[in-house]
Amino acid sequence: LEPRATREEREAILAGAQGNPFVLEELAAAPSTGTPALAASLRSRFRRLASSEREAAELLALLGRPAEPGILPATAGALVEAGIAHVLGDGRLELRHALVADAIRAELAPRSLRGRHRTLAGAVTDRGERARHLAAAGERRQAHSLALEAAAEAALPGERGRNLALAAATVDGPESVGLALEAGRLLVEANDHEAVAVLLEPLRCTSAAEEAERALVLGLSAFAAGDMPGYRRHVEDGLAIARGSATAIE
């Protein structure tokens, strides 16, 4: 693509691509070899799409996974011609790289973002996925109900934990804390320690018992992840709260 590039330019392009063929092509075609130039190039390409094609690209970027036929409008085929998506062997459409999704999402205004999530909530069939898009659209009550239903149906602890975490995020008060703590335990079981930290580190408990349980779940997660200093810190924090309570948490 760039036969006139010097050895130094080629090395910079190879280093920036980090083994990804799509990024390699884009960096070779861009006037600069930096990621900012690549992001600008992707945004420019996205803006040149027709409005219906931009809508399809936005939906695909927000879906966060390959789309089955029927989820996206018919104009989605133009995304392949534009070089920002490709068709998988099973017929699903996928953006060529996470950088493409980032560039598309960066162009979305908040109102449009909510509208696109609302559209996706009506197009997907999985309850948990629908709940996620409804929550992003600001439909908290519907999202909460669907997330609870999805958690009840989930066969695996990680899936159940993620749905309960979403249910916790779409309701207020003590119910939210209880759901978050239950979700945290399930995510520990699923070895998703990053999700446990994101869920429970900022959690605002409403009682000492909840605060002690939060410390316990964070400690269990740290232990399972091999983080012994974190494990000891969380357990000591929890014991400082629960000591003398004669509870299961202590």
Side-chain angles (χ1 to χ4, degrees), residues 11-22:
E11 288 176 352
I13 290 170
L14 285 169
Q18 296 184 344
N20 185 285
F22 168 70

Side-chain angles (χ1 to χ4, degrees), residues 108-150:
L108 270 167
R111 180 177 294 180
S112 297
L113 181 67
R114 290 191 294 271
R116 296 290 184 254
H117 276 295
R118 197 170 287 112
T119 298
L120 286 170
V124 299
T125 57
D126 179 81
R127 279 188 172 88
E129 193 171 24
R130 284 181 61 202
R132 178 172 67 84
H133 290 298
L134 284 169
E139 306 288 349
R140 296 179 81 234
R141 182 176 297 180
Q142 287 179 267
H144 179 71
S145 297
L146 275 174
L148 288 176
E149 290 176 16

Side-chain angles (χ1 to χ4, degrees), residues 188 191 193-194 218-228 231:
V188 170
N191 291 314
H193 307 297
E194 183 178 350
L218 284 168
L220 291 170
S221 181
F223 182 85
D227 175 11
M228 292 302 106
Y231 159 67

Side-chain angles (χ1 to χ4, degrees), residues 73-84:
T75 51
L79 306 182
V80 177
E81 297 174 14
I84 64 175

Side-chain angles (χ1 to χ4, degrees), residues 226-245:
D227 175 11
M228 292 302 106
Y231 159 67
R232 294 188 184 94
R233 183 180 70 255
H234 288 305
V235 170
E236 288 168 4
D237 289 347
L239 282 173
I241 299 167
R243 187 171 284 112
S245 64

Side-chain angles (χ1 to χ4, degrees), residues 20-203:
N20 185 285
F22 168 70
V23 180
L24 180 69
E25 292 178 20
E26 295 297 319
L27 289 176
S32 167
T33 57
T35 300
L38 171 56
S41 170
L42 291 170
R43 285 195 296 271
S44 175
R45 186 181 303 180
F46 171 69
R47 290 168 187 162
R48 289 197 296 270
L49 295 172
S51 59
S52 60
E53 295 164 358
R54 284 199 301 272
E55 178 183 354
E58 289 165 355
L59 291 171
L60 186 54
L62 295 176
L63 186 64
R65 62 170 179 80
E68 301 89 350
I71 287 183
L72 302 177
T75 51
L79 306 182
V80 177
E81 297 174 14
I84 64 175
H86 58 198
V87 180
L88 299 177
D90 59 6
R92 292 180 300 162
L93 192 68
E94 180 182 52
L95 292 174
R96 292 187 66 191
H97 194 272
L99 288 172
V100 179
D102 291 342
I104 292 170
R105 286 193 293 263
E107 296 289 299
L108 270 167
R111 180 177 294 180
S112 297
L113 181 67
R114 290 191 294 271
R116 296 290 184 254
H117 276 295
R118 197 170 287 112
T119 298
L120 286 170
V124 299
T125 57
D126 179 81
R127 279 188 172 88
E129 193 171 24
R130 284 181 61 202
R132 178 172 67 84
H133 290 298
L134 284 169
E139 306 288 349
R140 296 179 81 234
R141 182 176 297 180
Q142 287 179 267
H144 179 71
S145 297
L146 275 174
L148 288 176
E149 290 176 16
E153 294 176 350
L156 299 174
E159 183 184 2
R160 186 158 187 260
R162 285 188 293 274
N163 285 317
L164 285 179
L166 179 57
T170 49
V171 70
D172 300 317
E175 183 182 357
S176 173
V177 178
L179 287 168
L181 292 171
E182 185 180 354
R185 287 182 178 274
L186 288 162
L187 291 168
V188 170
E189 187 178 344
N191 291 314
D192 194 345
H193 307 297
E194 183 178 350
V196 175
V198 169
L199 176 66
L200 297 187
E201 289 285 3
L203 184 66

